[in-house]
Every structure is written in structure tokens, then in C-alpha cells.
Amino acid sequence: MDSYEQITPAVELQDRVTAFQESLRQDGVDGALIVQKTDLFYFAATAQQGWLYVPAAGAPILMIFKEFERAQAESTLEDIVSLGSPKKIPDIIRERGHQLPARLGMELDVLPVNLYRQFDSIFTDSTIVDVSTAIRLIRAVKSPYEIQLLRNAAACSDAVAGKVPELLREGRTEIELAGELEAYARSLGHQGIVRMRLWGSELFYGHLMAGPAAAVPSYLASPTGGAGVNPMIGQGPGFRKIQKNEPVLVDYVFALNGYLSDHSRIFAIGALPDELMRAHAAMLEIQEEVKRFAVPGAISGEIYEQMVASAEEKGYGEWFMGAGERRIRFTGHGVGLELDEFPFLAKGQQLPLTEGMIIALEPKVILPGKGVVGIENTHLVTASGLEPLTKMEDEIVILAG
Amino acid sequence: MDSYEQITPAVELQDRVTAFQESLRQDGVDGALIVQKTDLFYFAATAQQGWLYVPAAGAPILMIFKEFERAQAESTLEDIVSLGSPKKIPDIIRERGHQLPARLGMELDVLPVNLYRQFDSIFTDSTIVDVSTAIRLIRAVKSPYEIQLLRNAAACSDAVAGKVPELLREGRTEIELAGELEAYARSLGHQGIVRMRLWGSELFYGHLMAGPAAAVPSYLASPTGGAGVNPMIGQGPGFRKIQKNEPVLVDYVFALNGYLSDHSRIFAIGALPDELMRAHAAMLEIQEEVKRFAVPGAISGEIYEQMVASAEEKGYGEWFMGAGERRIRFTGHGVGLELDEFPFLAKGQQLPLTEGMIIALEPKVILPGKGVVGIENTHLVTASGLEPLTKMEDEIVILAG
């Protein structure tokens, strides 16, 4: 595999920029300055350090501080310049024949205050407005090119989960098993870094935990937490030894060429108690229900409510997606270059599904003191409902004890 | 190792909070609201989701959204409350007998604009000011407790580099070797996530690259870049096969119980060209020079200039810390809970060294088309200069070809 295999085609960038420009014009924004690394990669095909100016009409200008030659090799945009200081951005915009924007869009959901103030002092006559929701709405609907990259990532998710039976043995610590599985993921080209947009959120590969440790809640907006290796991290695998007859959750994200596949499977050394087997089967039933009714036009918040109602009906209301007052109020999320993309299948969400959206659907039961069962697959929204991008069977994998 | 081995002692938190309160009073700030995960862990011993209010005088209040019981188990602060919404923070502050702050400190170097605006609307009568520099100055000087944690991390760095000869073989890809070394690091308790404060910066373990690939520059404020596995990541190991007679850079961060040790060693299968051996020896000489003159009171920017001057004198001016116009202008950096802490041995920096500071010193030569040589060790600033926390030899490790 060559490191420059995945150069985003020029036509892809054109479509994305065009969609964004339509959105800017609708919102009365004259131009946007993209600075966040993931959005920059989405619109410019490079994550080198720089600034992308997208006027409401006309060609985008990619200004690169570091590393210019690398950005030139990666980006299929036409207008790429080397720039030593953001103070010169207004000059570049004017040189291209644009007026400076009266209303300038920026990513105010992620941009730190001090950096914002720097741009505010550079664009003294502009009002800076938030275009992050507009960007996220565009990014939520994937092109065929992106869907293929997501299929590639999902195939790697299957491969990683498929490797678990070879590595899982009684008495190994969660963290040891995690390390070996991660090494295998790396050998397949996993990029390591898993991007999350929500400030203060982070994830290291995912959640590999067993038995009661998997049911330990954490700060993260996720149904599962985990003990983690220390209070600074506070999630994920810890030093607990994996035992027989307990569910081993392997909820890992495969990050390939920027795109993420979110995937959970349950393993066990020896049989699991019936209670857990039944709960898992109930979660698979919920997944099948959603696959049918999550069609274009379905409202994301209503899908969440339907899943909650179904879990309650099946007797799992108390432990569905966590336990207690602060359990998370979502059952699935969009995924792409970031793990927390639109749409959110979450309480109160009004966004309707559209063909080409990608949803990591994760009905899970968290039984305090016992463990976690359930499923997660990354799906494509099609005209007839959800199509899983993954191939591996959803059932619990029981290994000889 | 138990996941809760490293509960930060109460006396440690008291000292940190006291130092911060002195700084707040000096700056005329009435109280600070800490929200960033790393700062929260530093002052409250937990990284669960919440808000820490530190009044200029009086006991700090830790308000936890999620996960309250976990924060209670981790934090040795006395006043910990469960709180469902940040809107109630002013009530909590008043209930404790404090007036609401006229000047409220927040971490404006990292806090996103939209979140800032939320707090601005909650503290309607307060002026929000930036206290990030004050926090970073306090965090720059480590306590004996922290120094011990850093020594533990440094010992793991040595262990990881010491494992390389067992795993390094001709024809393996950088990414394969990286994965196996990372699995070993995980088995020692590496937390995975390496925190950086500078927005848009990220690092996955570090930079393991060989030959010309190690000399490929990237967007990162680092002397080395690397091809990486794709343009979205744009740094670190790639898919290139490691060959004989080329320098293999293993520049990895060990993150143990929150604390980071930054460490580089050079390996080779078979002999290296004399040019590279000489360049490496020159970097070791520079390291020895700095160890003596980096004493308390020395100015961080002047240490940088001395290192640059020494590199020029030795004939490496053109390739010291990178090549070309946008090469980085630093030769070392503070390290602790984050990788980019004060002090920076960087152009123009005026901060004097203090006993108890920790500096990752990294004189390196980047020879385009050939590779990277040089050294990095994490040091403690003592009365007599720098004491390395690492034990491994600094010389290039030549393996039988």
C-alpha cells in the first residue's frame, strides 16, 4: 500500500465545495475560512497546516504554512499558495479579485477563543459567524467515493474482530489483548488516530473490556466506558485479567485513509449465562427492526425513541445504552472522517435520514456487575433502509473454554 | 498494576490549587472555571466530565456531570457535587458563600468559541479572562511526586527502545514495527493517548521512521515528520520497508499514568555511513553542552540560540532541527501531562529555567534523502543542570546486518 494511494480526486473536492458554497449563499455568508484539520482534509484533500478560503462563489484558495510541497502533492485544488502568516490572508483574497467578506464563516464549534480573536483582528471589518453545522450537514451525506473508503475500513473492522479468537486466552489482561489486536490493526494500515469533534472527547482505538469492567461507566458520551489504565484516561481497557464465561466486548474503530468504521462484537471463552445470551439476541432483533424503518425521510430522534420503546418492550429498559440517570441518550451516530458525525440517533434530534448517510448503530445492554452485550455495525442508508458495510456474523463468538 | 494505583494525593492537589490561587490574586482574577480535561486532572485528580471552580481564596468546588461516582473515587478534593447542567454553576458558587466573580478566569487557549459563549451567557455579570498562561506556568514546575511519575514513564521509554533490537528486521514496514512496539508499550501500561495542547496538533505514539522517510517534513511543529499512512494523518510511520544501512528513528512518547516521557534513539541494521555517525556524535556533544548550561535562571530562548550556534559551528547549521524555510525554531520543550508544556527552548522565549522543570531536549539533524540522526531525552532541571531521567545509552545501536 502506498501512502499516497488515497489522493482525493479533484471532482470530489469540486462537489463538496459546490455544496458548501450553496449553503453559504443560502445563509448569507460571503466566504468561509476553514482551519480545522478534518474539515480542511474534507474540502482540500490535505491536512497540512494552513487555511482554506471558500468564497460564496468562485475558486477556493488553499494557503499553506507548513508543509507546502506536501500539500501541493496531496491536494487536487488548483489554487495553492505558500503563506507565512495568517495576517496576509486578506491580501490573498483581494488579489484573487474578491471583496473581503462582510460575513465570514468559521468553525466556531471547535475553534479556540484565542485563535478566534486573532482572526477577528485580521478580518476587522467582517462579522464572523458559525458555519460548523452547515459543514457537518454536508459531510453527513457521503459520496460513492467516500462510501467505498468506508467499505474498505469496514472490511478491516471485520478482519480485526476476526483475529480475536486467535489472541483471546483466559488470564490475559485486557490491555495485553488490546495491544496485540492494535498491532494487527496497524499492520493493516490503521492510522492510529481516531478523530472526534466534540471538545473534550477522545478515543484510543475503542473499548476492549471484559465482564464487569466493560460495564463501568465513564465520562465519555458512549454507552460503554471501562476502567482504563489510569484516571487521566478513564475509559477503555484496563489491567483486569480476562476470565472464562464472561462477555468480552471488542468495540473498535478502524481508521483507514481517514475514514472510520465503528464495530462491536462479543466474544467469550466458554459459555455465557442465558441472561446475557438472551439480552444479546434482543439487541440483534432491535438492529433488524431499525434496518427496516431507518429509511430516507425517517427522523433520527424518532428512530431513537423506537429503539428505546422496543428495548423496554423486551424487558431491557433499565439497562439499554447504560444504567442510571446520566446514561447516554443515543443509540447510533453518523461516522465518516470523525466518529461523532451527523445524524445522531438521539433524543430530540430532528434531522431526517438521507440516502448516503452512514450510521453506526449500536444497540447495547449494560448490566452492572456482569458485562456488556449487544452489537455495533456501520451501515449505509439506502432507499430500502440500512445496509451493513460489515460482513462478520453478529452472534456472540463462543470459544472453547 | 491496579487502575487506581495513581490516585493523586490530597496534599499534591492542595499545593497546586494554592499556587494557582496566588496567581489569580496577583492577576486580579476572582475565580477560575477549569474545564479542559488535562487541567482538570492536574487540579482535581480526575478527568471525568465536569467543571472545577477555583475561587481566588477558599476551597475549590468540583462539579461533575458524568461520571459522579467515578470522580468521587478518583478525586481527593473535599467538595465534590453532582451537577446536571452548567447553568447551575453560579448557584453552587453562591451556596458556598462566594460572590460571583467579577473577573472569571478560563482556559481561552483551548476553549472553543461556542462553549465560551455558553459560559459567557451563564456568567452574565462576569468578565471572562484568559488564565491559560498562569496554569501552564504552574504546571511547568513539577513536584517530587510528579517527578517520580515522570521517572516511571522514562523507565518505560528505555524499555520500549530496548525492545527494538528484538523486533527490527530488514524488509519489515515501518508500520508493522511500530505496531509491535506499540503492543509492547501497551503491555507496560502505556495509556495510548498522548495529549498535546496546541490546537490542531496530534501525535500517535511518536515517530518511527527509517532512512529518507524519516526526513520527510510534515505540518507538525516537530523536527521530524514522516510519510504517515495517509494524507489525513500526514506524519509518523508509513508503509516503507526498512532497509539495511539506514538510520531507524524511534522517537516515541511513553504515556504512563498521565505523564509523558519523550525519547529518541537511532538504530540500524548494519553499519551507517560515516556522515551520519559523525552527525549523531555532534548532536550528543550538543546535548552534553546543554546539560551543563541549562541551569536554573538560564533563559530558554538563549539555550536555543546556543544550541543553534553550536550546531552551526560543527557544520550542521543547514540541517539542524529540519531543513528549509519553515523548519521548526525550537530544540526542546517542557513535558508533563501534555507534550507541549512550558518551557520551550525556542527562538525568542524569555522564560528562565527553574528547578523542577522537565525538558525533552532533542538536538537532531535532518538530512533530506538520507535520514535523521540525533537524540532525545527527558531531563529534570536541577541546581547543576539537566539530569536525564532515562538510562539507556545515547549511541546509535548497530545490529548485525
Side-chain angles (χ1 to χ4, degrees), chain A residues 229-233, chain B residues 2-17 37-48 52 62 70-78 80 139 141-150 191 195 256-259 337:
Chain A
V229 289
N230 61 53
M232 172 64 148
I233 297 304
Chain B
D2 183 76
S3 62
Y4 286 90
E5 185 188 44
Q6 298 297 352
I7 293 295
T8 315
V11 62
E12 196 58 30
L13 298 185
Q14 278 160 22
D15 288 349
R16 298 174 189 178
V17 167
K37 199 163 274 302
T38 313
D39 291 337
L40 192 74
F41 179 77
Y42 181 77
F43 287 116
T46 183
Q48 295 299 307
L52 177 72
L62 180 59
R70 194 157 176 166
Q72 276 189 310
E74 292 170 354
S75 180
T76 42
L77 289 177
E78 289 195 359
I80 311 177
R139 283 184 38 196
V141 184
K142 273 68 179 178
S143 70
Y145 169 81
E146 290 184 286
I147 292 165
Q148 184 55 51
L149 290 180
L150 282 153
Q191 73 187 30
R195 297 245 173 89
L256 186 70
N257 291 309
Y259 285 85
L337 294 170

Side-chain angles (χ1 to χ4, degrees), chain B residues 373-394:
Chain B
V373 290
I375 189 77
E376 181 163 22
N377 282 302
T378 296
H379 298 83
L380 171 65
V381 177
T382 73
S384 56
L386 299 183
E387 178 204 330
L389 302 184
T390 39
K391 310 282 184 209
M392 185 179 175
E393 284 188 9
D394 292 341

Side-chain angles (χ1 to χ4, degrees), chain A residues 47-61:
Chain A
Q48 295 298 307
Q49 194 191 343
W51 311 273
L52 176 71
Y53 185 70
V54 181
I61 315 164

